[in-house]
Amino acid sequence: MTPGIRPLIAGNWKMNGSWRGSRRLADAVRDAAPALDCSLLVCPPFLHVQAVAATLLGSPVAVGGQDCHAKPSGAHTGDIGAPMLRDAGATHVLLGHSERRADHGESSALVFAKCEAALAAGLTPVVCVGETEAQRDAGHAEAVVGQQLSESLPLGFITAGGIIAYEPVWAIGTGRTPTEADIAAMHAHMRRRLVLAFGPTAELTRLLYGGSVKPSNAAAILALPDVDGALVGGASLVADDFIAIAQAVPRG
Ligand code: PEP
């Protein structure tokens, strides 16, 4: 945790669920929210954003998309523009998730352009960065993440409250996590890079950890310095697990 930052627990539901299931999950998170000492965000599939946003209207739980196009509108079959997400009730958008980078060949330059589109639409971007296992084994993890940060974040990202999620690719959906020391070292590295690039305002940028966070490891991870919350994939699909992770946020 970083003093002065309210932790955020975010759920990435990926390509899962029916709209009824999404609404049920949203209902459970909404009902638990008042007793939780953190901010909450859920990112349903595009098709469910509007129904989930309607369910969460007036609650403290925010809704995000999982991606957006770099252009606000136009001839881009199958894509979703940031203003459409905003219109559907989203306030946040995940960008540069490693599954987007791998499945759709997204580069940091494209993430930069998407970030600009998100900011222009009034959405808070949550930019995901992280190294592969081969890059970590080769001792390049910090360099890779540093480069992703410097190539993905436009001017205005920090002052608009943009969020970073460090998600080692090899930890996503595998049940494996880096050591606590490795997570803390990477988050300290990211904080230094951001402050160097954007100035002292970046001291208050939320740095989330993501990759196999579950109720059993959440408390230890969330207690680390410069870890200001978590981006949760698989465990966010089970309401009790997601809520248990949020309950593990250390009391400030
Ligand atoms: C993710 O994909 O953002 C993620 C963190 O997944 P998981 O929690 O399932 O590892």
Side-chain angles (χ1 to χ4, degrees):
M1 265 176 71
T2 307
I5 299 183
R6 182 168 165 82
L8 170 68
I9 304 298
N12 174 12
W13 296 354
K14 309 195 186 189
M15 194 177 72
N16 290 296
S18 60
W19 74 266
R20 278 200 183 77
S22 284
R23 279 189 46 181
R24 261 199 308 275
L25 197 46
D27 281 346
V29 177
R30 182 201 56 213
D31 293 348
L36 297 170
D37 198 15
C38 61
S39 298
L40 295 162
L41 167 67
V42 295
C43 300
F46 284 137
L47 216 49
H48 304 163
V49 165
Q50 197 161 5
V52 167
T55 297
L56 296 176
L57 196 68
S59 89
V61 186
V63 183
Q66 298 175 12
D67 179 45
C68 70
H69 197 274
K71 293 274 190 321
S73 62
H76 303 288
T77 304
D79 279 313
I80 305 284
M84 301 166 108
L85 277 175
R86 191 83 178 97
D87 191 40
T91 52
H92 292 65
V93 61
L94 304 180
L95 293 174
H97 190 283
S98 63
E99 286 153 13
R100 299 288 316 171
R101 294 180 190 256
D103 296 353
H104 300 272
E106 292 195 1
S107 63
S108 291
L110 182 59
V111 175
F112 182 99
K114 290 182 174 203
C115 245
E116 288 195 309
L119 292 172
L123 293 173
T124 301
V126 181
V127 169
C128 305
V129 295
E131 80 286 355
T132 63
E133 186 157 33
Q135 289 165 335
R136 174 158 288 272
D137 289 347
H140 298 152
E142 290 196 356
V144 167
V145 168
Q147 188 170 355
Q148 287 172 334
L149 289 178
S150 51
E151 292 177 355
S152 306
L153 309 183
L155 214 66
F157 178 88
I158 297 293
T159 45
I163 298 166
I164 304 295
Y166 167 56
E167 299 206 305
V169 179
W170 52 274
I172 293 179
T174 59
R176 298 163 59 208
T177 54
T179 63
E180 288 163 24
D182 284 346
I183 295 174
M186 183 61 83
H187 279 240
H189 171 68
M190 295 196 299
R191 181 77 68 202
R192 275 194 305 275
R193 294 279 307 217
L194 292 173
V195 170
L196 261 177
F198 292 94
T201 323
E203 297 282 9
L204 290 180
T205 295
R206 275 179 172 140
L207 306 180
L208 311 183
Y209 168 77
S212 297
V213 176
K214 42 192 182 235
S216 58
N217 62 17
I221 292 172
L222 292 168
L224 295 170
D226 283 314
V227 174
D228 309 311
L231 178 53
V232 185
S236 72
L237 294 171
V238 179
D240 286 351
D241 286 355
F242 186 65
I243 292 162
I245 290 168
Q247 285 167 337
V249 167
R251 296 267 154 184

